[in-house]
């Protein structure tokens, strides 16, 4: 607004940095498709709007990227594979359209775990390769919105859009030390993303700060006639988000569940909870019933739905898929209709339990992840990585939100002794994203410093 910088200048910096990312050793592989001409066209249009003082929104001129799971003109809608999206896309997903209408500059589409089937972000195929964690390039970013989190952490853009069916926004955001918001199921339109699992996936922003996440959320969160699941939603608000303290808020913690994580993670998360208490919130012990049943039922739901949707792909493109994807889809074929029905009965039970819990507390706190980002091994670069015990572990605190549709926010709160990010998760009742953002703003104050990642680009320089 001051005129010291223009969107065009920023865009030129980003293009130079995207070229640098591809040449660095190892390559960052956050943004996998980008087009210099497209970026400059959007930036120049925004520069003109600023000059004429007629900007479209507070996202005007702001660089953003979208996960390759979304259709974005004119890129290939590959969804992390080598066989999908053979032609450039001619129609935008709803979120891409909304970002364009807000004046944002789409700098490209970001890397992802093939078909969203894993939580590491490891994708060794020829179009994608393995995105690197900006805090330590020898570690994974987390998945499946891997490139989105890496792009934000590395400074390429302050906003990225991901999808989250089993932690796919919150896991990479946590591993890469940035903010990740999974909206309530149906809150932000999924239209134009590949419908891998229709009952567990929510869309959400990955951002450098909670305030940025709130801005993006307020622009994207509304009903979309093309996406039936969100039509009946209440209006999105940011009420009380900037309240000076947390007085009157009750934070629910199931300590047995909360403590199922590494010692370093637990220590940081416990201190963050005490910080929230010091701002006037009270901590209430809650019991999350049937958590193991809910975890198994979530896996049955998400994998059954993915297997159903990808049945033709599995038959036709089996040999073009990564080994890990084949294994996950083969496992999914073992579930029966009976398993799926029982899993959905469990969903009804779990939602009822949460309804009762949220009548006594405003939110539920957990660590975001039980551990920090795992190492990348040489073999992962060639054949990929398949570590079921890690997948299960990394989703521990995530699945409840996907299974029952409640919103969740992860906020970085510190670092391990090895310098890898640690985050806390806040979950709230359906449609109550405002309370998450209010608590998230206060959580940011707990982090006494933000360490600069070892891979970092200053796009304003």
């Amino acid at each position: 607004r001051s005129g010291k910088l223009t969107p065009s200048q920023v865009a030129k910096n980003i293009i130079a940095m995207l070229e640098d990312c591809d040449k660095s050793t190892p390559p960052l592989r956050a943004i996998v498709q980008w087009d210099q001409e497209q970026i400059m066209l959007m930036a120049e249009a925004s520069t003109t709007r600023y000059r004429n003082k007629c900007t479209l929104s507070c996202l005007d001129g702001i660089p953003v990227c979208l996960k390759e799971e979304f259709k974005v003109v004119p890129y290939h809608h590959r969804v992390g594979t080598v066989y999908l999206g053979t032609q450039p896309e001619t129609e935008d997903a709803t979120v891409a359209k909304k970002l364009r209408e807000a004046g944002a500059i789409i700098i490209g589409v970001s890397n992802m775990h093939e078909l969203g089937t894993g939580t590491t972000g490891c994708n060794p195929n020829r179009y994608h390769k393995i995105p690197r964690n900006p805090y330590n390039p020898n570690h994974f970013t987390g998945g499946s919105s891997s490139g989105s989190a890496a792009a934000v952490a590395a400074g390429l853009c302050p906003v990225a859009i991901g999808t989250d069916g089993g932690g796919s926004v919150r896991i990479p955001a946590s591993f890469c030390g940035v903010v990740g918001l999974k909206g309530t199921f149906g809150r932000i339109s999924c239209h134009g993303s590949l419908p891998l699992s229709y009952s567990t996936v929510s869309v959400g922003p990955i951002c450098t700060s909670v305030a940025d996440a709130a801005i993006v959320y307020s622009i994207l969160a509304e009903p979309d006639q093309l996406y039936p699941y969100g039509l009946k939603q209440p209006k999105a608000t940011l009420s009380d988000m900037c309240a000076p303290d947390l007085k009157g808020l009750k934070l629910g913690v199931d300590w047995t569940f909360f403590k199922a994580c590494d010692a370093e993670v637990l220590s940081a998360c416990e201190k963050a909870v005490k910080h929230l208490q010091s701002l006037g919130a009270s901590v209430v012990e809650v019991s999350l019933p049937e958590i193991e049943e809910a975890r198994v039922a979530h896996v049955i739901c998400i994998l059954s739905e993915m297997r159903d949707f990808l049945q033709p792909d599995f038959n036709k493109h089996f040999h073009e898929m990564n080994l890990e994807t084949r294994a996950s889809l083969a496992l999914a074929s073992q579930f029966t209709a009976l398993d799926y029905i029982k899993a959905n009965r469990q969903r009804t039970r779990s939602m009822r339990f949460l309804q009762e819990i949220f009548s006594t507390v405003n939110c539920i706190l957990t660590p975001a992840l039980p551990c920090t980002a795992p190492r990348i091994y040489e073999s992962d670069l060639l054949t990929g990585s398949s570590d079921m015990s890690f997948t299960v572990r990394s989703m521990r605190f995530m699945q409840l939100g996907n299974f029952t549709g409640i919103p969740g926010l992860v906020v970085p709160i510190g670092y391990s002794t090895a310098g890898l990010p640690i985050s806390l998760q806040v979950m709230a009742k359906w449609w109550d994203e405002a309370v998450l953002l209010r608590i998230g703003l206060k959580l940011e104050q707990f982090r006494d410093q933000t360490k600069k990642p070892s891979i970092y680009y200053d796009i304003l320089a």
Side-chain angles (χ1 to χ4, degrees):
R1 280 181 190 156
S2 70
K4 283 180 191 166
L5 262 178
T6 67
S8 299
Q9 283 170 284
V10 175
K12 280 177 187 153
N13 289 349
I14 291 170
I15 289 162
M17 286 155 189
L18 287 169
E19 285 168 346
D20 183 73
C21 284
D22 287 344
K23 292 178 192 140
S24 62
T25 312
L28 180 63
R29 297 307 292 157
I31 308 289
V32 286
Q33 298 181 59
W34 57 279
D35 182 300
Q36 182 170 339
E37 198 182 330
Q38 289 286 325
I39 296 170
M40 286 315 298
L41 273 174
M42 285 181 268
E44 279 155 14
S46 178
T47 299
T48 305
R49 288 192 294 271
Y50 273 97
R51 196 182 301 126
N52 299 334
K53 298 197 168 26
C54 61
T55 49
L56 298 169
S57 77
C58 45
L59 277 188
D60 206 327
I62 303 297
V64 304
C65 69
L66 290 97
K67 183 179 187 178
E68 203 182 55
E69 198 169 320
F70 294 100
K71 293 180 177 182
V72 183
V73 179
Y75 302 109
H76 295 265
H77 188 214
R78 291 192 178 118
V79 201
T81 70
V82 294
Y83 65 84
L84 286 172
T86 51
Q87 296 302 314
E89 211 41 61
T90 54
E91 194 185 340
D92 275 331
T94 297
V95 283
K97 188 163 159 276
K98 276 181 167 296
L99 290 167
R100 281 192 214 274
E101 286 166 358
I105 297 166
I106 297 172
I107 65 165
V109 293
S110 48
N111 206 342
M112 64 177 286
H113 207 104
E114 186 178 63
L115 297 168
T117 54
T119 60
T120 56
C122 181
N123 189 352
N125 74 42
R126 67 179 180 273
Y127 287 140
H128 298 88
K129 301 291 177 225
I130 294 172
R132 303 296 179 140
N133 191 319
Y135 275 91
N136 184 331
N138 296 319
H139 286 250
F140 283 118
T141 54
S144 65
S145 309
S146 48
S148 296
V152 173
L156 290 171
C157 52
V159 176
I161 309 297
T163 57
D164 189 316
S168 285
V169 159
R170 294 162 293 155
I171 292 170
S174 305
F175 278 153
C176 293
V178 288
V179 172
L181 171 66
K182 177 198 98 70
T184 303
F185 177 76
R187 177 62 106 178
I188 299 173
S189 174
C190 276
H191 175 74
S193 70
L194 201 72
L196 293 164
S197 164
Y198 51 85
S199 78
T200 66
V201 174
S202 295
V203 177
I206 294 173
C207 299
T208 34
S209 71
V210 174
D212 288 356
I215 290 167
V216 180
Y217 165 74
S218 67
I219 286 171
L220 297 181
E222 64 175 3
D224 171 14
Q225 293 305 317
L226 299 169
Y227 184 64
Y229 299 121
L231 289 178
K232 294 270 196 271
Q233 62 178 279
K235 193 160 173 49
T237 72
L238 299 176
S239 60
D240 293 338
M241 180 178 146
C242 298
D245 54 40
L246 298 176
K247 283 184 182 136
L249 286 187
K250 292 178 177 168
L251 317 175
V253 180
D254 179 330
W255 285 110
T256 311
F257 187 49
F258 192 100
K259 289 177 176 173
C261 58
D262 292 353
E264 256 186 323
V265 172
L266 179 60
S267 166
C269 289
E270 283 178 331
K271 284 178 193 150
V273 173
K274 286 203 176 92
H275 165 75
L276 296 177
Q277 270 179 296
S278 74
L279 293 166
S282 55
V283 171
V284 178
E285 275 205 51
V286 295
S287 168
L288 294 170
E290 300 180 8
I291 208 80
E292 185 60 18
E293 288 83 346
R295 191 185 68 71
V296 173
H298 166 263
V299 170
I300 291 168
C301 284
I302 190 169
L303 281 179
S304 298
E305 288 168 11
M306 288 176 92
R307 174 67 202 225
D308 165 55
F309 179 72
L310 294 168
Q311 182 69 22
D313 296 42
F314 191 73
N315 293 338
K316 198 173 166 189
H317 298 284
F318 179 81
H319 293 292
E320 294 165 272
M321 290 176 172
N322 290 335
L323 296 170
E324 183 193 12
T325 309
R326 295 185 210 174
S328 299
L329 292 174
L331 168 69
S333 69
Q334 300 307 301
F335 297 132
T336 64
L338 202 60
D339 294 328
Y340 186 70
I341 291 163
K342 277 188 177 167
N344 275 291
R345 284 190 181 138
Q346 178 62 45
R347 195 194 307 251
T348 309
R349 286 176 68 85
S350 296
M351 288 172 82
R352 179 56 54 85
F353 294 142
L354 284 178
Q355 234 168 355
E356 284 167 21
I357 289 168
F358 286 127
S359 68
T360 60
V361 298
N362 299 91
C363 69
I364 296 167
L365 302 179
T366 70
L369 291 157
C371 57
T372 53
R375 265 195 77 83
I376 296 170
Y377 292 99
E378 280 299 307
S379 61
D380 300 336
L381 305 175
L382 301 169
T383 53
S385 161
S386 183
D387 182 346
M388 269 302 178
S389 65
F390 170 76
T391 305
V392 167
R393 195 163 178 239
S394 62
M395 286 163 60
R396 175 177 294 150
F397 300 117
M398 300 284 144
Q399 291 170 284
L400 190 62
N402 295 111
F403 188 49
T404 62
I406 59 171
L409 177 76
V410 294
V411 180
I413 53 164
Y415 304 89
S416 68
T417 45
L420 291 165
I422 293 170
S423 295
L424 187 80
Q425 175 174 238
V426 194
M427 293 181 284
K429 69 176 184 289
W430 300 269
W431 317 114
D432 199 6
E433 286 86 350
V435 78
L436 298 183
L437 296 162
R438 178 181 170 186
I439 295 165
L441 279 177
K442 297 292 182 268
L443 262 181
E444 279 183 321
Q445 297 168 1
F446 167 72
R447 195 171 76 243
D448 55 351
Q449 58 157 336
T450 301
K451 289 186 182 166
K452 200 171 174 180
S454 58
I455 301 174
Y456 187 77
Y457 294 95
D458 184 353
I459 59 172
L460 303 182

